[in-house]
Amino acid sequence: MKVSLFATCLVDMFQSNIGKSTVELLERLNCEVEFPKEQTCCGQPAYNSGYVKVSKEAMKNTIRAFEKAEFIVCPSGSCANMIKDYEHIFQGDSEWQNRAKEIASKTFELTQFIVDVLKVEDVGAKLNGRATYHPSCHMTRLLQVKNAPLTLLKHVKGLELIELPLKENCCGFGGTFSVKMGKISEKMVDEKVSSVQETDVHYLIGSDAGCLMNIGGRIDRKDLNIQTLHIAEVLNCH
């Protein structure tokens, strides 16, 4: 099975190990992974900030870069959902709507792809310790991927998974929200970190790099002994 990796901006620029873990994991699951070099941003930051015309140029570039892909796999529920929204954004555009619909139909968040497409629930991962999982807003509320990450984590040998209190609360990142509404964002991430502390875990696991950067940054500032890990990194431990 050929898979094209959509790495996302945050992974490409700040957390390349997530991309590396994603590739290694997919290859262990017998996928041939391709990385279209033309890919850039999915357009979400500009679109959510109201710059629709500018954001469409990034979206068109993404469509062109991945049109020949059999499957598009993304280690981010937020960015995967953005690609799914292209069809709506280009509605009525005779040149781009059908092209947008086509790539949306073959785009999957990483855990969604493993569980729903590859039909794998145990990837053979091993990680000793206690962990809790933060379900990011876009992934659960918009993309509607809720069970796949937990299914995979429950099969990680040596990992004790503890439910996160107030798990559905936003961490306060929200892309540009954390910049424009810094004080509110700070209170939200403080609440999230307090919930993580309640679980007394070694690891906080998430599926979106933005959330992990936000929560992890606050954990570091509070000097807490909790390691943040993307689910791709956990599933690649063996």
Side-chain angles (χ1 to χ4, degrees):
M1 183 177 292
K2 287 187 177 181
V3 171
S4 294
L5 173 66
F6 179 50
T8 80
C9 298
L10 292 181
V11 170
D12 186 43
M13 293 188 290
F14 300 114
Q15 297 179 320
S16 58
N17 192 58
I18 295 173
K20 180 182 177 182
S21 295
T22 299
V23 171
E24 291 177 350
L25 173 61
L26 290 170
E27 287 180 341
R28 283 200 292 114
L29 295 173
N30 298 316
C31 293
E32 180 184 341
V33 183
E34 299 176 334
F35 183 84
K37 294 181 180 180
E38 301 83 6
Q39 65 181 282
T40 54
C41 177
C42 66
Q44 182 172 189
Y47 182 77
N48 288 348
S49 297
Y51 298 100
V52 177
K53 185 177 179 180
V54 173
S55 69
K56 282 185 176 180
E57 294 307 310
M59 296 175 197
K60 289 175 183 177
N61 182 73
T62 301
I63 293 170
R64 286 190 293 261
F66 287 96
E67 269 185 315
K68 295 181 181 179
E70 293 182 19
F71 294 95
I72 304 163
V73 176
C74 176
S76 163
S78 181
C79 296
N81 183 74
M82 188 67 218
I83 294 177
K84 294 283 190 183
D85 277 348
Y86 283 5
E87 181 186 358
H88 167 72
I89 294 167
F90 285 103
Q91 189 170 4
D93 188 317
S94 58
E95 180 181 357
W96 292 97
Q97 184 177 355
N98 286 336
R99 295 168 75 178
K101 181 179 181 180
E102 185 178 344
I103 76 156
S105 68
K106 54 189 178 183
T107 297
F108 299 87
E109 181 273 332
L110 175 63
T111 65
Q112 178 188 37
F113 179 75
I114 294 172
V115 174
D116 296 342
V117 179
L118 297 182
K119 305 299 182 184
V120 174
E121 294 187 353
D122 186 345
V123 299
K126 299 178 182 178
L127 180 64
N128 293 323
R130 296 187 307 277
T132 193
Y133 175 75
H134 164 67
S136 55
C137 297
H138 282 186
M139 184 156 161
T140 55
R141 296 172 189 172
L142 300 180
L143 194 61
Q144 293 292 307
V145 175
K146 301 178 181 180
N147 296 324
L150 296 174
T151 297
L152 292 166
L153 289 174
K154 287 173 182 176
H155 286 89
V156 175
K157 294 176 178 63
L159 191 66
E160 179 185 358
L161 195 61
I162 299 167
E163 186 171 0
L164 181 65
L166 304 174
K167 61 184 179 181
E168 293 184 354
N169 284 10
C170 178
C171 74
F173 178 61
T176 56
F177 173 83
S178 60
V179 178
K180 295 178 179 179
M181 303 290 183
K183 293 296 182 182
I184 299 173
S185 175
E186 181 181 328
K187 295 296 183 183
M188 294 170 74
V189 75
D190 275 342
E191 181 182 67
K192 180 63 68 174
V193 171
S194 294
S195 294
V196 175
Q197 285 181 275
E198 284 183 40
T199 61
D200 190 29
V201 292
H202 305 108
Y203 307 107
L204 168 68
I205 301 169
S207 298
D208 272 289
C211 297
L212 291 173
M213 286 177 64
N214 190 44
I215 303 169
R218 201 63 180 157
I219 285 173
D220 288 344
R221 288 181 179 88
K222 289 178 175 287
D223 198 26
L224 303 176
N225 190 27
I226 301 169
Q227 184 178 357
T228 56
L229 289 171
H230 190 277
I231 195 166
E233 297 173 296
V234 176
L235 299 177
N236 195 43
C237 292
H238 58 281

